Amino acid sequence: MPKQSEILLELEKACKASHRVENLCRDFELQKVCYIPLNVFVLRPLHRLIHYKQILERLCKHYPATHVDFRDCRAALADVSEVVDQFQRSLIKMENLQKLLELKKDMLGVDNLVVPGREFIRLGCLSKLSGKGLQQRMFFLFNDVILYTSRGMTPTNQFKVHGQLPLRGMTIRESEDEWGVPNAFALIGQGQSVVVAASSLTEMEKWMQDIKMAIEMAKTSNGPTSDVLTCTLTDNKCPEDYPAEAESEDDMMASHTSLEKLTPHRGNTMVHVCWHRNTSVSMVDFSIAVENQLSGNLLRKFKNSNGWQKLWVVFTNFSLFFYKSHQDDYPLASLPLLGYSVTVPSENENIHKDYVFKLHFKSHVYYFRSESEYTFERWMEVIRSATVPSSQARLLNSKDPHFY
């Protein structure tokens, strides 16, 4: 069986035991070559096998039975599928462990986050109603507890934990009419109650669905019992939140690229993307993202530019990474896609090119041109997996067994 779980835990132990190892890992993560969290790379060999299976499935679907490679492809698919089936269940546990270890680094004021039985479900932005009005908070939903945090003025860009809401005995109800706030709902616990508002109806529905599911799970499961917080933290001691940073991808033409500008450690993690985009992401989304990775040449055009720039583009971990060529060691820049929409340009945008798709978020607009109808469809498929709600992504996934 794969030993990635042991490697993840040993790496964590080594960082705890030695400042030198901890600094080595941190310094490596700050390098441009480390474009995703370090411990994700540990799981990459298993992800690669899943991608081999998907490629072979598409080849078997493409080749006629009379093709010279058909039998070999089918035999290879059977072999790879057998291996993937063996580790698929343990991979889910490893992905959860990786997420817990990653989230622990993103939070300040939490100690016992990584304990047996704890499962990550969703993280994202909700506005918490208090005496000061609505305040943006980052919420983390697990199978036994909800943590809420704010982004504080810390050198490490961590999120300061303000409180925890145990799920056992909790009830949830919509409360828009009660508080006069759109997309609001109340979390009513045994010790305290919290009223929060989502950024949209879709976001509210995602949160309420996952929280209701987690509450039901907490009723029957023997989940973790250890306290999560290291100390009592209250909202009235909250430092001023950072103002949202400007979208770094607009500066890609400048001398400093987006990755170079994100020098503070942990300033470019998925938690920070959700904070700036005022959205959320679930463990289901992360699982879908593992199966949706793609690389290839694309031509990119900015909203106010005339020319097209040819780039090698890698889509992974909900983000597009841009390279001059496939031989480069590190990306020039990146574009996290959470919160973005993917569409086809309209007539009045005057693109007049084939195989073009458009990515937009608020005032940020990018056009990408692919080489053929097939590659256009593939890019649209994988990007939709990061830009549509997980329930819709699952639906898309079920319609096409070769979607990834």
Side-chain angles (χ1 to χ4, degrees):
M1 289 299 290
K3 294 193 174 183
Q4 272 78 1
S5 289
E6 294 173 36
I7 296 169
L8 289 171
L9 287 170
E10 287 301 319
L11 186 60
E12 180 72 5
K13 283 180 189 175
C15 288
K16 271 187 177 180
S18 166
H19 285 303
R20 183 168 173 270
V21 175
E22 184 182 25
N23 290 336
L24 278 171
C25 290
R26 188 189 63 233
D27 291 345
F28 180 74
E29 282 197 324
L30 285 172
Q31 294 181 35
K32 288 178 287 186
V33 71
C34 189
Y35 58 95
I36 55 177
L38 174 59
N39 57 15
V40 174
F41 284 111
V42 175
L43 303 180
R44 274 293 189 251
L46 301 182
H47 297 165
R48 187 66 61 189
L49 285 170
I50 292 171
H51 299 151
Y52 290 157
K53 179 186 174 185
Q54 292 163 337
I55 291 166
L56 287 164
E57 282 175 341
R58 285 204 303 279
L59 279 172
C60 288
K61 186 179 178 181
H62 173 73
Y63 286 146
T66 54
H67 193 280
V68 64
D69 291 328
F70 179 76
R71 291 182 66 183
D72 286 343
C73 277
R74 198 165 60 174
L77 176 59
D79 289 343
V80 173
S81 296
E82 185 180 351
V83 175
V84 170
D85 290 344
Q86 287 174 0
F87 71 70
Q88 193 81 58
R89 184 168 292 182
S90 59
L91 178 61
I92 294 169
K93 293 181 179 177
M94 285 184 261
E95 294 280 2
N96 181 67
L97 173 60
Q98 184 272 322
K99 283 291 165 291
L100 293 177
L101 291 169
E102 193 64 22
L103 293 177
K104 181 185 170 188
K105 295 177 185 177
D106 279 315
M107 284 188 259
L108 189 66
V110 64
D111 188 21
N112 300 318
L113 187 65
V114 186
V115 294
R118 177 162 292 134
E119 297 174 16
F120 163 67
I121 299 173
R122 179 174 293 277
L123 68 86
C125 267
L126 293 169
S127 295
K128 181 175 174 288
L129 190 63
S130 70
K132 300 176 184 178
L134 289 171
Q135 295 179 313
Q136 185 179 354
R137 295 285 178 261
M138 181 63 70
F139 278 69
F140 299 85
L141 171 63
F142 303 94
N143 63 333
D144 64 318
V145 68
I146 297 173
L147 301 180
Y148 55 95
T149 70
S150 71
R151 190 173 181 219
M153 300 282 285
T154 65
T156 51
N157 279 312
Q158 289 169 295
F159 285 81
K160 183 180 178 182
V161 177
H162 290 279
Q164 60 180 340
L165 303 166
L167 293 182
R168 199 176 291 272
M170 178 185 284
T171 57
I172 179 173
R173 73 166 194 268
E174 287 188 49
S175 57
E176 182 174 326
D177 296 336
E178 184 179 349
W179 297 100
V181 178
N183 311 312
F185 57 96
L187 303 171
I188 303 156
Q190 292 178 334
Q192 67 177 126
S193 298
V194 172
V195 177
V196 294
S199 59
S200 66
L201 178 62
T202 302
E203 277 293 302
M204 182 187 79
E205 289 172 345
K206 286 192 286 187
W207 275 106
M208 290 192 69
Q209 179 182 340
D210 282 352
I211 293 171
K212 285 176 182 177
M213 175 195 70
I215 290 171
E216 288 303 311
M217 286 168 55
K219 287 178 183 176
T220 56
S221 67
N222 296 318
T225 55
S226 59
D227 287 333
V228 177
L229 300 186
T230 55
C231 56
T232 302
L233 297 164
T234 57
D235 255 9
N236 56 16
K237 294 181 181 177
C238 171
E240 288 300 313
D241 293 341
Y242 271 166
E245 295 168 7
E247 291 287 317
S248 59
E249 52 266 24
D250 272 356
D251 299 317
M252 287 194 286
M253 306 298 285
S255 58
H256 294 287
T257 69
S258 62
L259 292 187
E260 288 171 334
K261 294 184 81 174
L262 290 170
T263 48
H265 191 47
R266 311 213 58 76
N268 58 347
T269 66
M270 196 54 57
V271 181
H272 289 83
V273 174
C274 287
W275 176 263
H276 293 310
R277 302 276 168 82
N278 199 13
T279 188
S280 69
V281 63
S282 72
M283 193 64 205
V284 172
D285 297 322
F286 280 109
S287 298
I288 292 171
V290 167
E291 298 180 358
N292 286 268
Q293 301 187 36
L294 190 62
S295 59
N297 285 312
L298 285 173
L299 295 168
R300 184 192 64 198
K301 179 183 178 301
F302 295 107
K303 181 173 60 176
N304 298 319
S305 67
N306 294 320
W308 294 82
Q309 182 185 12
K310 188 174 184 178
L311 295 164
W312 179 260
V313 182
V314 174
F315 175 70
T316 186
N317 209 40
F318 304 102
S319 299
L320 292 175
F321 295 91
F322 303 105
Y323 299 75
K324 279 186 178 178
S325 81
H326 69 278
Q327 295 174 314
D328 289 357
D329 291 331
Y330 57 84
L332 297 166
S334 64
L335 177 63
L337 294 185
L338 286 179
Y340 269 76
S341 298
V342 57
T343 57
V344 177
S346 60
E347 285 290 327
N348 59 12
E349 290 175 89
N350 297 318
I351 296 299
H352 306 310
K353 298 288 184 182
D354 292 330
Y355 316 129
V356 175
F357 59 91
K358 169 186 173 183
L359 290 171
H360 55 101
F361 172 76
K362 295 184 177 179
S363 62
H364 306 280
V365 177
Y366 307 92
Y367 300 100
F368 294 93
R369 195 166 124 214
S370 47
E371 298 168 323
S372 66
E373 183 179 0
Y374 175 77
T375 53
F376 169 79
E377 294 292 342
R378 290 287 297 120
W379 280 107
M380 289 287 281
E381 281 179 350
V382 298
I383 289 172
R384 278 193 186 121
S385 73
T387 56
V388 300
S390 53
S391 57
Q392 292 181 39
R394 279 196 294 262
L395 185 63
L396 286 168
N397 202 11
S398 65
K399 286 181 179 177
D400 183 357
H402 306 296
F403 174 87
Y404 78 92

